[in-house]
């Protein structure tokens, strides 16, 4: 049997059950906001219940009303479900109220609602309640974002003449007022609101955020008497919390110099949030620890002071790296630039930082311990690998505890690898010091490079050497393998490979199975677990067999002899020692690099098993979702914070866009990505309003109707007249959206933000300017739309 409550007097114990819309209105009343007369109906099951709703409507003499859904999973702090269920306006008379109530209840299972539930709620059950509210005779109406998108400190007020439904449905473009305190940034031409009204609405939005304790999305109307009436309140569930640069280093970057050098080669492109909080955190800690030991900084130096994330890309903070040049003897900015990046960084200035001579000498002693401590670095790394162990038969909580317990070992693995880099760099520097004895410096560099080839224990070279051995055995066993594709190679390995081939494959995996493409990324699977990736690499080696070989490689000793021919006596023996030590240094660095990846591989396996358990237990929708949480957030998820699933999905949506970003080699201040205009100066550019952050490039598709929408392909950019909520089932496949009209708070845009879908609205004439098949780029941060290539071009 249905139960009916006045919106002002819902029993406290029932508030969790009446749905987000009713709960929001009840809270508005309690906080002193003017709310039109309304009642909520719960537990609607039978035909008699609809009659009870109509009878209550008549008893109150409400006249013209709105009938709105208030589902239990709607308008919550984690998931809004905006526009997924029905709202019917201007309802008058018992029969129409009954029908409108029926429509609201039926909308619980419409296509868009079920798609939203599958995507964000993983099929969670929702109960439908209904709010019947007296209609306001509105002079104007609209919505408020208590935190203006992309404008910290401002409240966004959007207004249209008459009712606000055309605004939230995306069918009418709104006037926008960005309000801060008593000021409006810019009053629109032919303004719907007076400045006083805009300021009053802005202050009310700020007050709502304070009393609700979170950013809020509010619907309002101003009636014929000039009174502000409040029609809806729901939490902003995603707003600015998941953005392209959400996980940027929080440290003050003003005047700091950054480079993609070295780190951008080791870890190219964007990294996942889990990798930032694990491997990249450990790498930064390892660098910091060497600086602490050499007196360059204190132990209180905050995380990401040396290796910093911006837009999920990693950068060396060279300004902080230069501390060592002034805290110890034997280092200078130019030599540090070359040792890290292979070139001098002239765009980044040295720092003013002085340490007294005696203290500097004391600091130099631990540095020398590293520079001459190759054996120590290898032994330290071996102890880390020996101590690192996971029992993956435990439950999810047990595995996560082991990850935290073992995390210090990953940090120390990075420390010992950085020690080995000091050793390698120090040995190479001694050999490089001989450059002054050669007129042709470039030729000398080529001789040094030749001296560092054919190192027997060079780990990375051994990968290729063993792969060539495997390829030779395969061709001897079945010559056709040289031309096989990946599927054919897999079939050969499974069914026809000889015992010799199988043994060579097993030996390779035993030594190098933990390696792979983008191996420092915790989400990347090693060759051992990613057969297709390994066979792709093997195929490239097989394809070279039987083809004409180039000239035979000179022995490294020939290069060494040419260097040594410049010297005699004691100096010759000393330089010969430099060459040998430089070769040992390279070998040491490669050894610890392989071991640090082996240590990371232990964490990869642990997180992969943990994600499998969380999927099996219904906590995560799929195994890759875990990589878009921070390590501490994984613990919060295990403790029951299901809202983090949505955050992970939003971050994953942004990840391809972050991967596509390009950065200058050096930057002063926070690194900023190169704009699409930098990449394509000939692109046609026009402007709209940014409403959902991020950037996307892809093939455009004009969507005028359902048939056009059904033709959408994964990765395309949808171009439409408005942000119709009916398009939301396609948000999971498109890369971005452009519309000719729309609002930051239209239901379609609210849901687009939940999908982290880059969106630009109010792009005038977009349907005419863009054609299906054009290659376009949209910038949800600035509102710019770039037509990079015409379909016919």
């Amino acid at each position: 049997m249905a139960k009916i409550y006045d919106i002002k007097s819902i029993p406290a114990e029932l508030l969790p059950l009446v749905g987000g819309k009713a709960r929001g209105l009840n809270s508005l009343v309690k906080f002193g906001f003017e709310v039109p007369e309304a009642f909520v109906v719960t537990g609607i099951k039978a035909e008699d219940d609809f009659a009870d709703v109509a009878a209550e409507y008549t008893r109150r003499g409400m006249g013209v009303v709105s009938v709105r859904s208030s589902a239990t999973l709607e308008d919550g702090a984690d998931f809004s479900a905006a526009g997924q269920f029905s709202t019917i306006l201007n309802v008058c008379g018992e029969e129409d109220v009954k029908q409108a109530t029926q429509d609201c209840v039926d909308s619980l299972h419409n296509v868009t609602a079920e798609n939203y539930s599958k995507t964000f709620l993983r099929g969670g059950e929702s109960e439908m309640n209904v709010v019947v509210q007296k209609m306001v005779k509105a002079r104007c109406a609209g919505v408020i974002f208590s935190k203006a998108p992309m404008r910290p400190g401002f409240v966004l007020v959007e207004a249209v003449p008459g009712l606000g439904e055309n605004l939230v449905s995306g069918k009418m473009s709104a006037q926008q007022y960005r309000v801060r305190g008593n000021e409006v940034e810019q009053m629109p031409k032919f303004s719907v609101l007076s400045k006083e009204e805009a300021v009053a609405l802005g202050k009310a939005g700020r007050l709502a955020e304070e009393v609700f304790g979170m950013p809020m999305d509010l619907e309002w109307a101003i009636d014929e008497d000039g009174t502000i009436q409040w029609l809806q309140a729901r939490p902003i569930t995603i707003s600015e919390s998941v953005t392209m640069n959400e996980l940027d280093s929080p440290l003050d970057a003003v005047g700091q110099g950054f480079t993609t050098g070295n780190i951008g080669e080791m870890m190219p492109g964007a990294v996942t949030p889990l990798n930032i909080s694990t491997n990249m955190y450990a790498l930064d800690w390892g660098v910091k620890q060497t600086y602490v030991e050499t007196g360059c900084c204190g132990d209180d130096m905050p995380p990401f002071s040396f290796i910093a994330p911006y837009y999920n890309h990693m950068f060396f903070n060279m300004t902080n790296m230069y501390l060592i040049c002034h805290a110890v003897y034997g280092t200078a900015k130019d030599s540090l630039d070359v040792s890290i990046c292979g070139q001098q960084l002239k765009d980044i200035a040295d720092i003013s930082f002085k340490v007294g001579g005696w203290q500097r000498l004391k600091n130099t002693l631990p540095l020398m311990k590293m520079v001459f401590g190759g054996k120590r670095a290898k032994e330290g790394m071996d102890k880390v690998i020996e101590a690192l162990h996971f029992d993956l038969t435990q439950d999810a909580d047990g595995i996560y505890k082991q990850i935290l317990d073992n995390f210090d070992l990953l940090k120390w693995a990075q420390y010992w690898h950085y020690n080995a880099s000091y050793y390698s760099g120090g040995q190479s520097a001694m050999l490089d010091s001989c450059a002054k004895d050669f007129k042709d410096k470039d030729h000398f560099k080529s001789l040094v490079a030749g001296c560092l080839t054919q190192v027997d224990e060079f780990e990375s070279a051994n990968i290729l050497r063993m792969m060539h051995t495997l390829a030779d055995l395969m061709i001897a066993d079945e010559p056709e393998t040289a031309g096989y594709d990946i599927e054919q190679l897999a079939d050969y390995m499974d069914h026809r490979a000889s015992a010799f081939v199988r043994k060579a494959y097993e030996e390779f995996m035993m030594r190098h199975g933990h390696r792979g493409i983008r191996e420092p990324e915790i989400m990347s699977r090693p060759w051992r677990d990613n057969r297709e990736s390994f066979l792709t690499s093997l195929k490239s080696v097989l394809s070279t067999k039987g083809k004409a070989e180039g000239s035979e490689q000179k022995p490294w000793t020939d290069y060494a002899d040419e260097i040594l021919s410049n010297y005699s006596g004691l100096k010759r023996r000393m330089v010969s020692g430099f060459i040998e030590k430089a070769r040992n240094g390279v070998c040491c660095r490669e050894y610890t690099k392989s071991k640090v990846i082996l240590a990371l591989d232990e964490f990869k396996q642990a997180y992969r098993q943990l994600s499998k358990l969380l999927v099996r237990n219904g906590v995560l929708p799929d195994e890759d979702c875990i990589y878009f949480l921070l390590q501490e957030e994984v613990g919060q998820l295990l403790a029951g914070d299901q809202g983090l699933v949505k955050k992970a999905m939003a971050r994953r949506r942004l990840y391809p866009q972050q991967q596509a970003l390009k950065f200058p080699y050096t930057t002063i201040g926070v690194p900023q990505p190169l704009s699409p205009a930098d990449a394509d100066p000939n692109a046609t550019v026009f402007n709209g309003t940014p409403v959902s952050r991020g950037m996307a490039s892809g093939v455009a598709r004009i969507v005028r109707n359902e048939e056009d929408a059904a033709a959408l392909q994964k990765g395309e950019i949808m171009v439409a007249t408005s942000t119709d909520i009916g398009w939301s089932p396609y948000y999971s496949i498109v890369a971005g959206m452009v519309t000719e009209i729309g609002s930051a708070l239209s239901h379609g845009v609210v849901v687009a933000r939940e999908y982290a879908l880059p969106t630009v609205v109010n792009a005038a004439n977009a349907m005419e300017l863009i054609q299906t098949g054009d290659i376009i780029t949209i910038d949800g941060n600035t509102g710019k739309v770039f037509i990079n290539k015409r379909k016919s071009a």
Side-chain angles (χ1 to χ4, degrees):
M1 179 179 174
K3 293 185 178 182
I4 299 174
Y5 303 95
D6 188 277
I7 206 70
K8 299 177 182 178
S9 54
I10 303 171
E13 66 273 15
L14 294 181
L15 284 174
L17 307 177
V18 296
K21 201 165 272 118
R23 193 163 53 248
L25 289 171
N26 177 265
S27 296
L28 284 170
V29 171
K30 289 180 179 178
F31 292 138
F33 290 78
E34 188 76 25
V35 175
E37 179 185 1
F39 64 89
V40 60
V41 189
T42 67
I44 303 172
K45 303 291 184 184
E47 186 67 30
D48 289 346
D49 296 333
F50 299 116
D52 291 344
V53 176
E56 178 69 11
Y57 157 79
T58 300
R59 186 186 71 77
R60 288 171 173 259
M62 296 177 75
V64 182
V65 297
S66 63
V67 181
R68 300 173 182 264
S69 64
S70 185
T72 53
L73 293 181
E74 184 178 11
D75 292 348
D78 293 324
F79 307 100
S80 76
Q84 304 301 305
F85 308 116
S86 290
T87 290
I88 300 96
L89 303 181
N90 295 315
V91 180
C92 187
E94 284 195 12
E95 290 304 314
D96 287 349
V97 168
K98 287 171 65 175
Q99 184 59 54
T101 304
Q102 178 75 64
D103 291 345
C104 280
V105 173
D106 290 346
S107 70
L108 186 62
H109 301 293
N110 66 34
V111 173
T112 56
E114 290 190 345
N115 185 77
Y116 184 93
S117 176
K118 180 179 178 181
T119 302
F120 291 120
L121 309 177
R122 301 195 303 286
E125 289 296 320
S126 185
E127 295 291 330
M128 181 59 75
N129 308 291
V130 174
V131 172
V132 180
Q133 186 174 42
K134 189 176 181 65
M135 287 289 295
V136 177
K137 293 181 179 179
R139 172 175 64 82
C140 59
V143 290
I144 289 174
F145 230 17
S146 70
K147 282 192 182 301
M150 285 75 81
R151 294 303 304 276
F154 284 84
V155 175
L156 175 64
V157 178
E158 293 194 332
V160 294
L163 296 174
E165 182 59 24
N166 283 334
L167 174 59
V168 297
S169 66
K171 296 177 180 177
M172 181 182 291
S173 293
Q175 291 184 349
Q176 293 191 336
Y177 305 77
R178 290 177 177 83
V179 183
R180 182 161 60 182
N182 292 318
E183 296 301 319
V184 180
E185 187 176 55
Q186 184 175 354
M187 291 291 291
K189 201 172 183 180
F190 309 115
S191 176
V192 171
L193 299 173
S194 67
K195 180 180 177 182
E196 292 73 20
E197 289 171 331
V199 168
L201 288 165
K203 288 184 175 180
R206 185 68 73 200
L207 174 62
E209 181 173 316
E210 291 176 5
V211 295
F212 278 90
M214 65 188 75
M216 296 297 292
D217 163 355
L218 305 147
E219 289 186 30
W220 58 269
I222 297 180
D223 63 21
E224 294 173 334
D225 297 328
T227 302
I228 300 174
Q229 302 277 355
W230 299 92
L231 310 178
Q232 186 170 316
R234 63 170 171 249
I236 298 172
T237 59
I238 198 163
S239 68
E240 301 292 273
S241 63
V242 174
T243 63
M244 295 282 277
N245 52 351
E246 171 203 2
L247 301 178
D248 282 6
S249 169
L251 305 182
D252 185 2
V254 175
Q256 303 277 293
F258 297 89
T259 182
T260 60
N262 187 298
I263 188 71
E265 299 164 26
M266 183 271 284
M267 191 65 262
V271 301
T272 60
L274 187 60
N275 202 43
I276 289 175
S277 59
T278 54
N279 195 31
M280 295 299 102
Y281 180 96
L283 176 58
D284 174 75
W285 185 92
V287 176
K288 186 187 85 168
Q289 188 64 22
T290 65
Y291 273 54
V292 171
E293 292 179 6
T294 53
C296 302
C297 70
D299 195 44
D300 58 349
M301 194 81 159
F304 300 118
S305 292
F306 299 95
I307 310 289
Y310 291 97
Y311 294 86
N312 284 40
H313 289 244
M314 305 308 300
F315 300 82
F316 260 116
N317 183 326
M318 295 304 295
T319 300
N320 285 338
M321 295 299 293
Y322 293 152
L323 290 170
I324 199 169
C325 303
H326 305 277
V328 303
Y329 287 112
T331 60
K333 175 189 179 297
D334 289 349
S335 60
L336 186 68
D337 286 346
V338 172
S339 67
I340 293 176
C341 302
Q343 59 180 288
Q344 293 181 13
L345 305 179
K346 296 181 179 179
D347 294 335
I348 302 178
D350 201 353
I351 60 174
S352 297
F353 176 67
K354 299 297 180 184
V355 174
W358 173 242
Q359 183 61 49
R360 197 171 182 181
L361 180 61
K362 286 178 62 179
N363 293 345
T364 304
L365 296 178
L367 176 65
M368 292 300 101
K369 192 175 181 180
M370 298 176 195
V371 168
F372 295 101
K375 181 180 179 182
R376 172 175 169 266
K378 291 174 71 173
E379 290 175 348
M381 181 67 80
D382 287 342
K383 289 179 181 178
V384 167
I385 298 301
E386 184 179 353
L388 190 55
H389 175 70
F390 287 92
D391 176 7
L392 300 185
T393 65
Q394 293 190 18
D395 63 11
D397 289 326
I399 291 175
Y400 182 67
K401 183 179 184 302
Q402 290 180 76
I403 288 171
L404 298 184
D405 290 345
N406 279 311
F407 189 56
D408 276 352
L409 291 173
L410 182 61
K411 291 156 61 176
W412 282 107
Q414 292 288 10
Y415 166 81
W416 289 119
H417 177 50
Y418 209 71
N419 266 251
S421 296
Y422 276 113
Y423 172 69
S424 176
Q427 310 314 307
S428 295
M430 287 188 288
L431 181 56
D432 290 341
S433 67
C434 299
K436 64 181 183 296
D437 300 326
F438 291 78
K439 291 182 179 179
D440 189 339
K441 310 299 183 188
D442 290 335
H443 181 59
F444 173 75
K445 290 179 181 178
S446 70
L447 293 176
V448 170
C451 288
L452 301 181
T453 61
Q454 302 160 39
V455 181
D456 290 339
E457 297 303 316
F458 190 70
E459 200 70 13
S460 295
N462 185 265
I463 293 174
L464 188 58
R465 192 155 51 242
M466 291 187 73
M467 207 173 274
H468 272 283
T469 298
L470 176 58
D472 289 337
L473 289 170
M474 290 170 65
I475 290 174
D477 183 39
E478 190 169 312
E480 294 80 6
T481 55
Y484 280 174
D485 60 25
I486 303 302
E487 188 175 336
Q488 290 170 320
L489 283 174
D491 182 71
Y492 161 77
M493 295 295 290
D494 288 339
H495 301 106
R496 301 187 306 281
S498 68
F500 295 106
V501 170
R502 291 180 185 278
K503 182 180 179 183
Y505 174 79
E506 290 168 1
E507 289 176 347
F508 180 92
M509 288 300 169
M510 183 69 70
R511 180 164 180 175
H512 301 300
H514 62 285
R515 308 296 295 268
I517 305 299
R518 297 194 84 237
E519 58 190 9
E521 166 57 61
I522 198 167
M523 184 172 70
S524 297
R525 298 194 183 198
W527 279 325
R528 180 192 59 246
D529 301 329
N530 190 348
R531 195 183 194 196
E532 182 178 355
S533 175
F534 171 73
L535 291 178
T536 299
S537 299
L538 180 61
K539 181 177 180 294
S540 67
V541 173
L542 284 163
S543 66
T544 66
K545 298 298 179 179
K547 297 183 179 179
E549 301 287 344
S551 56
E552 187 175 341
Q553 186 179 18
K554 288 172 59 175
W556 70 269
T557 51
D558 288 0
Y559 299 103
D561 288 343
E562 188 170 346
I563 291 175
L564 294 173
S565 65
N566 267 29
Y567 304 101
S568 60
L570 180 62
K571 185 67 178 287
R572 180 185 175 94
R573 288 196 296 274
M574 186 170 64
V575 173
S576 178
F578 289 167
I579 293 173
E580 192 60 38
K581 287 181 180 297
R583 286 172 60 83
N584 290 339
V586 170
C587 181
C588 177
R589 188 189 67 228
E590 285 298 312
Y591 177 85
T592 59
K593 178 181 178 180
S594 178
K595 294 298 184 182
V596 82
I597 297 300
L598 183 61
L600 180 63
D601 183 58
E602 293 285 336
F603 286 84
K604 288 183 180 183
Q605 292 182 65
Y607 267 114
R608 181 63 64 178
Q609 177 62 18
L610 176 57
S611 67
K612 288 178 179 178
L613 293 175
L614 293 179
V615 171
R616 188 182 307 161
N617 295 338
V619 178
L620 287 177
D622 59 74
E623 291 180 14
D624 283 352
C625 200
I626 200 170
Y627 300 107
F628 296 90
L629 294 172
L630 300 174
Q631 180 157 272
E632 57 267 31
E633 290 174 341
V634 174
Q636 294 164 18
L637 179 68
L638 285 166
D641 189 350
Q642 284 297 302
L644 288 167
V645 176
K646 178 181 165 188
K647 179 174 278 191
M649 294 173 71
R651 287 172 177 162
R652 180 162 60 182
R653 182 69 188 225
L654 288 176
Y655 190 58
Q657 301 166 44
Q658 292 169 323
Q659 281 283 25
L661 296 178
K662 305 295 182 184
F663 291 84
Y665 192 75
T666 57
T667 307
I668 304 300
V670 173
Q672 294 297 329
L674 298 170
S675 71
D678 294 327
D680 185 3
N682 298 317
T684 301
V685 184
F686 59 99
N687 294 306
T689 302
V691 291
S692 184
R693 297 188 71 155
M695 296 179 67
S697 296
V699 176
R701 183 170 295 278
I702 303 297
V703 175
R704 294 185 173 86
N705 49 46
E706 291 184 8
E707 288 75 19
D708 291 339
L712 282 164
Q713 302 295 311
K714 188 171 181 63
E716 290 185 336
I717 295 177
M718 184 171 74
V719 183
T721 301
S722 65
T723 54
D724 192 308
I725 194 64
W727 302 140
S728 62
Y730 301 98
Y731 290 179
S732 61
I733 63 171
V734 298
M737 182 166 59
V738 179
T739 69
E740 293 185 327
I741 56 178
S743 153
L745 292 180
S746 68
H747 290 318
V749 169
V750 171
V751 177
R753 280 193 290 270
E754 303 224 9
Y755 282 86
L757 184 70
T759 302
V760 174
V761 301
N762 296 328
N765 303 314
M767 302 280 278
E768 285 73 38
L769 290 169
I770 301 171
Q771 302 175 35
T772 294
D774 288 350
I775 306 298
I776 69 173
T777 297
I778 66 171
D779 189 339
N781 307 305
T782 65
K784 293 186 181 296
V785 179
F786 303 81
I787 304 176
N788 305 105
K789 184 178 180 182
R790 291 290 186 183
K791 176 183 178 182
S792 57

